[in-house]
Amino acid sequence: MALVPCQVLRAAILLSYCSILCNYKAIDMPAHQTYGGSWKFLTFIDLVIQAVFFGICVLTDLSSLLTKGNDSQEQERQLKKLIALRDWVMAVLAFPVGVFVVTMFWSIYIYDRELVYPKLLDNFIPAWLNHGMHTTVLPFVLIEMRTTHHQYPSRSCGLAAVCTFAVGYILWVCWIHHVTGVWVYPLLEHLSPSVKIIFFAAVTIIINIFYLVGEVLNNYIWDTQK
């Protein structure tokens, strides 16, 4: 019986992300019309990751209910693959990227919002949508970690995947600057080339740290070592 509330909760979170994405894409913002569109912003990429992840969670829950009491080995095998995919996305993308977006955004915002979220954006993005993109991601992913045990991959494979994502996004940001001559984030305009390298390296290290935090937190909550 405890599974039903979790299913409803995941479905509600998935619907909230779909609503946030639809409202964000409906905004007529100049940045959406430039090279890369919404995909140049890590916030948007993270929203897609979270929506896909919770979509997989809902699909896993539905599959689990449909196969409950069924002796089909093929269905059981497919369900295990779906669970493995859900756990991998949680470990490598949903948790580290989600926590990184929330912590980095609000840290820089508090220091100087013009470096990451210029006041001009208030004319396009309402406050509730801003919090939907940059705040609720953290409690949602923590709720998921608390309600469901996720099997993490080996540490080396997990860190390699996180590094691949981080480096891939950094290269994407650099490519956009190469094409347009404008950095995606105003913060980068104020950094010298050498400081940019240090900043990108620090970003990669931080997101790897968040991966490790997720692994430790998952083990602590579910006491897997014991």
Side-chain angles (χ1 to χ4, degrees):
M1 294 299 294
L3 181 63
V4 177
C6 294
Q7 290 178 323
V8 174
L9 184 61
R10 292 188 186 111
I13 293 175
L14 174 60
L15 290 175
S16 71
Y17 276 123
C18 291
S19 174
I20 291 169
L21 283 168
C22 289
N23 279 277
Y24 178 75
K25 292 297 292 183
I27 296 174
D28 185 17
M29 200 160 56
H32 291 173
Q33 313 304 324
T34 56
Y35 184 82
S38 302
W39 292 98
K40 59 178 170 284
F41 300 113
L42 185 59
T43 293
F44 179 78
I45 295 174
D46 178 52
L47 287 175
V48 173
I49 289 173
Q50 301 299 329
V52 170
F53 168 67
F54 279 99
I56 295 173
C57 288
V58 171
L59 183 59
T60 302
D61 288 339
L62 291 175
S63 299
S64 179
L65 288 176
L66 292 174
T67 58
K68 192 174 183 180
N70 195 324
D71 296 330
S72 173
Q73 293 184 350
E74 177 60 23
Q75 289 183 345
E76 186 70 22
R77 187 172 65 87
Q78 295 299 326
L79 177 59
K80 288 182 178 179
K81 286 184 178 180
L82 197 57
I83 292 174
L85 175 62
R86 178 201 67 188
D87 292 348
W88 188 90
V89 175
M90 172 66 172
V92 173
L93 295 174
F95 186 89
V97 178
V99 175
F100 177 84
V101 166
V102 173
T103 55
M104 288 296 291
F105 174 84
W106 287 112
S107 296
I108 300 174
Y109 185 98
I110 292 172
Y111 174 74
D112 184 356
R113 67 169 295 177
E114 295 298 319
L115 296 176
V116 67
Y117 192 82
K119 195 171 181 62
L120 176 66
L121 292 178
D122 291 341
N123 298 323
F124 300 95
I125 303 177
W128 72 266
L129 186 56
N130 179 30
H131 285 291
M133 297 188 297
H134 298 115
T135 305
T136 58
V137 173
L138 182 57
F140 283 167
V141 78
L142 289 176
I143 289 171
E144 170 60 23
M145 179 168 282
R146 179 63 185 85
T147 56
T148 305
H149 173 253
H150 297 275
Q151 185 66 43
Y152 268 61
S154 65
R155 183 166 294 180
S156 58
C157 291
L159 290 175
V162 172
C163 281
T164 300
F165 174 84
V167 172
Y169 180 70
I170 290 170
L171 292 175
W172 171 232
V173 169
C174 292
W175 174 254
I176 292 173
H177 176 262
H178 172 73
V179 173
T180 65
V182 178
W183 287 105
V184 174
Y185 302 101
L187 169 66
L188 297 173
E189 300 282 358
H190 303 279
L191 304 180
S192 65
S194 58
V195 175
K196 282 188 181 72
I197 295 174
I198 296 174
F199 176 78
F200 288 144
V203 163
T204 304
I205 292 171
I206 291 172
I207 198 169
N208 275 272
I209 290 174
F210 285 141
Y211 171 85
L212 296 175
V213 169
E215 183 183 41
V216 171
L217 185 60
N218 182 71
N219 289 338
Y220 175 78
I221 292 174
W222 296 97
D223 200 17
T224 54
Q225 293 181 347
K226 181 178 179 181

